[in-house]
Amino acid sequence: MKTTETSAPLPADAGSGMSVTKAGPPSGKPPTAQKREGKVLNAFSHGILVIWAIMVVLPLLWAVMTSFKDDSSIFGSPWSLPDMLHFDNWTRAWTEADMSDYFLNTVLVVGGSLIGTLVLGSMAAYVLARFDFPGNRFIYYLFIGGMSFPIMLALVPLFYVVNNMGLLNTIHGLILVYIAYSLPFTVFFLTAFFRTLPTSVAEAAFVDGASHSRTFFQIMLPMAKPGLISVGIFNFLGQWNQYMLPTVLNTDPDKRVLTQGLVQLAVSQGYKGDWSGLFAGLVMAMLPVLAAYIVFQRQVVQGLTAGALK
């Protein structure tokens, strides 16, 4: 148990009859020195954040700016603003480089795997967090162990498993692999989140005659919305940018996802010298990730901090 110590009152002055209470231990430094140190630390931390923001934002802005230039401007004046907006770069990348097909395949794969991951992960996390049964901790630590297992070691056996199931070079096969890949972190994150939710609400629902499934889907799951959005954003980022799994399990040119398409675009456009089309395709792949985080940034912060507060 944590206790707080308070200093004992000083003896009363004989002449005045008044007692003086010491507010706390002496700091050893005058208040002006403490304020000065606080200002220095505050300025230092803000300076680090500004430098970090510049390092992150500047390459993104440069890529967006370059996607609207022509090839001669890219090499002639790489840091200057485009003289005019060349929207034909985006049109060329979308149609001639097949970015539309890659984009559609990625949306199908990531959308299906994200829904499956959130549904299965939230159900498993709710049971592990709310019900005490033999093997509860063992199953939980199995999911934790899945987070530390290198995906590189599973590529060869995973290829043969997916091939034997007849799911190689298919969209639904890639969806199942993405779900299995994302479940350990999802269960780990949501288990801690469900433990912070009040039990009185679920108990009141049971008293009113609600079943376990109805309590979960209609009461507990809406209460876990910040956590679901947070883990959904993290899974979306990981699945959208996944390259190794589709490269091994998806070799059909017609079923390529966006990361595979960008590599193919870099090779083909590099030979053609169409660097403006390459940057346009890069920005196309980047925009959905930025948009998702900008829209849900408040929910992401709420979900991350909710698991730490009881």
Side-chain angles (χ1 to χ4, degrees):
M1 182 175 171
K2 228 184 200 179
T3 57
T4 55
E5 295 182 1
T6 56
S7 57
L10 296 175
D13 185 80
S16 62
M18 297 174 60
S19 62
V20 181
T21 303
K22 191 176 180 183
S27 61
K29 294 182 181 180
T32 55
Q34 293 181 358
K35 290 182 179 179
R36 191 179 301 113
E37 288 184 359
K39 290 181 179 179
V40 172
L41 183 61
N42 193 22
F44 178 77
S45 61
H46 280 73
I48 295 296
L49 290 176
V50 169
I51 294 174
W52 179 258
I54 293 175
M55 293 174 60
V56 172
V57 174
L58 190 59
L60 298 180
L61 294 179
W62 182 79
V64 174
M65 179 183 67
T66 307
S67 68
F68 291 103
K69 291 183 175 182
D70 55 5
D71 294 330
S72 59
S73 300
I74 292 176
F75 291 98
S77 54
W79 299 106
S80 64
L81 294 174
D83 53 353
M84 61 176 297
L85 299 180
H86 295 272
F87 290 101
D88 57 312
N89 299 338
W90 290 61
T91 304
R92 192 168 59 256
W94 184 258
T95 56
E96 298 180 10
D98 297 328
M99 290 296 293
S100 58
D101 297 334
Y102 303 147
F103 201 92
L104 178 60
N105 293 336
T106 305
V107 170
L108 293 176
V109 172
V110 175
S113 60
L114 195 60
I115 294 174
T117 302
L118 292 180
V119 172
L120 297 177
S122 60
M123 294 171 68
Y126 176 75
V127 172
L128 293 175
R130 292 290 180 169
F131 297 94
D132 189 12
F133 57 90
N136 181 299
R137 304 307 297 172
F138 176 73
I139 297 175
Y140 176 73
Y141 286 122
L142 280 181
F143 282 106
I144 300 299
M147 295 174 56
S148 60
F149 190 81
I151 193 62
M152 291 286 294
L153 298 179
L155 288 178
V156 175
L158 185 61
F159 175 84
Y160 285 105
V161 169
V162 174
N163 188 30
N164 292 334
M165 296 176 63
L167 299 176
L168 199 63
N169 297 326
T170 60
I171 296 295
H172 51 281
L174 206 56
I175 290 176
L176 293 178
V177 174
Y178 276 21
I179 292 175
Y181 172 77
S182 304
L183 268 182
F185 172 74
T186 303
V187 173
F188 167 74
F189 187 95
L190 291 180
T191 299
F193 192 88
F194 276 118
R195 287 173 181 165
T196 64
L197 298 181
T199 58
S200 58
V201 179
E203 292 173 354
F206 291 142
V207 171
D208 291 339
S211 61
H212 287 289
S213 59
R214 184 175 182 182
T215 302
F216 170 72
F217 284 106
Q218 296 187 0
I219 298 176
M220 303 306 294
L221 202 58
M223 292 176 63
K225 182 181 177 181
L228 291 173
I229 293 178
S230 298
V231 75
I233 291 295
F234 289 127
N235 285 330
F236 174 75
L237 295 177
Q239 294 174 4
W240 186 271
N241 296 322
Q242 181 59 242
Y243 174 70
M244 189 172 299
L245 288 176
T247 300
V248 175
L249 305 175
N250 186 29
T251 58
D252 188 356
D254 296 331
K255 303 291 179 58
R256 285 174 178 164
V257 295
L258 205 52
T259 50
Q260 295 174 287
L262 283 177
V263 174
Q264 181 64 28
L265 180 63
V267 174
S268 61
Q269 303 300 75
Y271 282 113
K272 296 177 182 178
D274 189 7
W275 298 100
S276 56
L278 176 60
F279 276 98
L282 177 65
V283 175
M284 286 180 189
M286 183 177 60
L287 285 180
V289 177
L290 293 177
Y293 186 79
I294 291 173
V295 172
F296 297 107
Q297 59 178 334
R298 186 183 301 273
Q299 288 82 352
V300 170
V301 175
Q302 291 177 354
L304 291 176
T305 56
L309 302 176
K310 188 71 176 174

